[in-house]
Amino acid sequence: MPRPIQALVHTDALAHNLARARAAAPDARVWAVVKANAYGHGIERAFAGLRGADGFALLDLQEAEIVRALDWRGPILLLEGVFEPRDLELCSRLGLWHVVHCSEQIDWLAAHKTQTPHRVFLKMNSGMNRLGFTPAAFRSAWARLNALPQVEEVTLMTHFADADGERGVAAQMARFDAATSDLPGERSLSNSAATLRHGLKSDWVRAGILVYGSAPDHPEHDIGHWQLQPAMTLRSKLIATQQLQPGDTVGYGSRFVAGQAMRIGIAACGYADGYPRHCGTGTPVLVNGHRTGTVGRVSMDMLAVDLSALPDAGIGSEVTLWGCGPGGSVLAIDEVAQAAGTIGYELMCAVAPRVPISALPAA
Ligand SMILES: *Cc1c(COP(=O)(O)O)cnc(C)c1O
């Protein structure tokens, strides 16, 4: 028998969450963001649940080739644009739309030979200070692109730094609007948090984390609040149990000291599987669908769970690290992320290659 750890991708949940994005932005078309191997879910598996999207947004040209190979004829958007001039050849060949965020990318496009003009998303740096033209430089970039025979249509785009938090989007929206109000063309503004929280009017929303069933503004809101379903389950089994006496310790560094007699289980999951090591005692976990907590330090291949309230649990009991457990139980990835001082995004992207992943229902 293989080691019992497994990741499952719930394609029905992906489709459900995509429908939530549509409901939140009823007038917009929806990019399903599938960068980073679909946030760790696997592009092919994610595609099975997200084929109802209006397009797929990603970063790697190789991922774009995979989506085309899945026979997707609709839009594909390169969110960072091209990395060197010859990438434009692939854009022409596969009909990829691409972000233009710097003047070098316009130079490359101007020198590019193509029969079919490209759809480009011109990105404004409205305050994030990662990619994009400043509001002052935006208009001349737009004019330059519009004059190129290599360009078919220019969509105006920006990205928010604080859509999930208190600052919100107002300051960035004001900068964007001031610099673009008289420019024609479609707009693409919102990520998941902006889509769910701010209801901005735009032509294209870019839904990433929400389609994977993680709340972009956790812990202010959880997936129940946004009616999202976990798209990934990480599960394993207990491979041992231990009976502790008062004063006994658990794991490396003897970080946990039993205050009383208690029983613990040892699950076949550790940081080498992508489970975060920075999770203290009490990180939520499900055993046979019942909520309990981890005990002591997470080690490379194992972690310990408290079985004090679960007398029936033993070797072979199902352990849900996050996602869907037996009997309709759910443990949101956001809760585990919070215990580790990180966000759901990082955990789902970091499931280790040694963990077998399969789609449910099978694609
Ligand atoms: C990753 C990304 C998104 C999706 O963000 P989520 O918070 O996962 O919805 C949207 N737009 C751009 C430019 C991105 O890089």
Side-chain angles (χ1 to χ4, degrees), residues 33 35 39 79 123 157 159 191-192 206-209 345:
V33 181
K35 63 190 179 189
Y39 291 43
L79 286 168
K123 186 162 187 178
M157 172 186 177
H159 189 58
N191 58 1
S192 294
R206 305 185 300 272
I209 196 69
Y345 297 75

Side-chain angles (χ1 to χ4, degrees), residues 166-197:
E166 254 171 47
R167 279 170 185 260
V169 300
Q172 284 187 260
M173 267 319 289
R175 278 181 219 128
F176 182 82
D177 283 341
T180 61
S181 56
D182 60 337
L183 293 183
E186 295 190 330
R187 268 69 173 159
S188 179
L189 311 173
S190 298
N191 58 1
S192 294
T195 301
L196 292 173
R197 290 169 65 98

Side-chain angles (χ1 to χ4, degrees), residues 1 5 23 47 58 62 81 97 107 126-127 147 166 172 231 249-250 267 316 320 348:
M1 183 180 153
I5 193 160
F47 182 78
L58 40 74
Q62 203 199 338
W97 304 7
D107 299 340
S126 59
E166 254 171 47
Q172 284 187 260
T249 65
V250 177
T320 308
M348 58 179 74

Side-chain angles (χ1 to χ4, degrees), residues 71-91:
D71 229 13
W72 174 256
R73 307 276 169 88
I76 296 175
L77 176 64
L78 298 177
L79 286 168
E80 293 177 346
V82 296
F83 303 101
E84 56 174 334
R86 67 185 185 136
D87 294 342
L88 290 167
E89 291 162 24
L90 193 75
C91 292

